[in-house]
Amino acid sequence: KEAVYSVLRTLVVPVEQSDAAIAYLLHRLSFPPTAMEELAQVLSQAPLFTDADLPHTLVADIASTFSSIHFQMQGSNQIGIAHKGKPIAGIINQPFFKNPDGSMGRSIWGIVGVGAFGFRRQDQKSGRILTTSRSHVTPMVQECLDAISPTEILKMGGAGNKVLQLIENNAHAYLFASRYTKKWDTCAPEAVLMALGGKLTDVHGDVLEYHADVQQENKAGVVAAVENIDFYLGAIPQSIKDKLPP
């Protein structure tokens, strides 16, 4: 339902405008004042796919599509710069981020050896909060998360978004024991994380390489943290590491 509203909204008003824009548009079109409330009510009452007697495989395909980053309002774009195989600078742009003043969009950037900018780092939260993929949580990914004994798991799309959770102190570590991410997913976030003093590796603790002939797939998964990354690497079961050879 969130995805349906997001698609409807972006079809009729510019993405940088707030929800007040769509309300104003409906007013100018002489829609009844209750139009927005009625739309919300209709969407809330829409039947779930699981109640529609559809084949299980079709339900899974539809759910995966609508949970992808393309249907989320918290998506990000990013540019990473690497030199001699190492990330040295990165920019993460969040066009749908709502700032305290009501404006939309922000850019977080970092240069290794200079610093990271464009965000507000909060006090560290208690517990052991992990972040991982929203739509690619396989049994092995879940087993890896469980081995850390997290107090909370934040699931979301986009490697940049997940690294931002570490940068802003919303989570303590990013774990993804899967081959799913690519080098273009991790280069910019890793550079910003390194600029803050953090580290991103595979499940073996090996650093990722970024150059013209590199393997595009991060085939040994991703582990990242601003601090204490050795603890998380050490807690990953050897059986999982064996399934994700470097």
Side-chain angles (χ1 to χ4, degrees):
K1 294 164 186 174
E2 175 188 357
V4 172
Y5 173 74
S6 299
V7 173
L8 290 174
R9 183 188 187 283
T10 54
L11 285 175
V12 295
V13 296
V15 295
E16 69 273 10
Q17 296 186 22
S18 69
D19 286 339
I22 193 169
Y24 178 72
L25 175 62
L26 293 176
H27 170 71
R28 293 290 302 219
L29 293 174
S30 299
F31 274 67
T34 57
M36 286 296 289
E37 289 81 1
E38 290 175 358
L39 174 61
Q41 183 178 8
V42 169
L43 289 177
S44 68
Q45 294 176 347
L48 299 176
F49 289 125
T50 51
D51 297 331
D53 198 25
L54 297 175
H56 174 73
T57 53
L58 180 58
V59 172
D61 288 343
I62 293 173
S64 176
T65 299
F66 275 86
S67 64
S68 72
I69 194 66
H70 306 292
F71 283 90
Q72 302 300 322
M73 293 298 283
Q74 60 266 37
S76 63
N77 305 304
Q78 52 199 37
I79 299 174
I81 301 173
H83 178 64
K84 294 183 179 180
K86 306 299 181 184
I88 60 171
I91 301 173
I92 304 171
N93 177 257
Q94 292 183 302
F96 303 121
F97 181 84
K98 190 169 184 178
N99 296 294
D101 63 0
S103 62
M104 298 293 288
R106 67 172 179 170
S107 292
I108 297 92
W109 60 282
I111 301 175
V112 178
V114 176
F117 311 91
F119 61 92
R120 180 174 297 177
R121 189 161 167 78
Q122 308 174 71
D123 292 335
Q124 189 174 68
K125 296 184 178 181
S126 60
R128 188 174 294 154
I129 306 172
L130 305 180
T131 182
T132 193
S133 173
R134 178 200 300 270
S135 54
H136 298 91
V137 180
T138 64
M140 185 164 65
V141 170
Q142 189 62 53
E143 180 185 353
C144 182
L145 296 171
D146 292 342
I148 310 297
S149 300
T151 55
E152 184 179 356
I153 299 175
L154 307 178
K155 296 181 179 180
M156 59 191 61
N161 288 332
K162 289 186 273 289
V163 170
L164 284 178
Q165 303 311 305
L166 312 181
I167 290 171
E168 295 188 311
N169 257 341
N170 294 318
H172 300 99
Y174 164 27
L175 275 81
F176 189 47
S178 169
R179 302 166 59 99
Y180 183 76
T181 64
K182 306 292 193 299
K183 293 299 187 297
W184 51 78
D185 294 316
T186 53
C187 184
E190 181 176 359
V192 178
L193 186 64
M194 290 175 63
L196 191 64
K199 191 173 182 179
L200 186 150
T201 72
D202 64 19
V203 298
H204 305 281
D206 297 329
V207 297
L208 306 185
E209 293 284 334
Y210 302 91
H211 52 76
D213 301 319
V214 76
Q215 168 85 29
Q216 294 180 353
E217 191 177 52
N218 293 325
K219 61 180 182 179
V222 174
V223 179
V226 175
E227 55 188 28
N228 298 326
I229 192 171
D230 289 340
F231 165 78
Y232 299 101
L233 290 168
I236 299 174
Q238 186 60 46
S239 59
I240 290 179
K241 295 178 179 180
D242 292 342
K243 294 175 183 177
L244 294 170

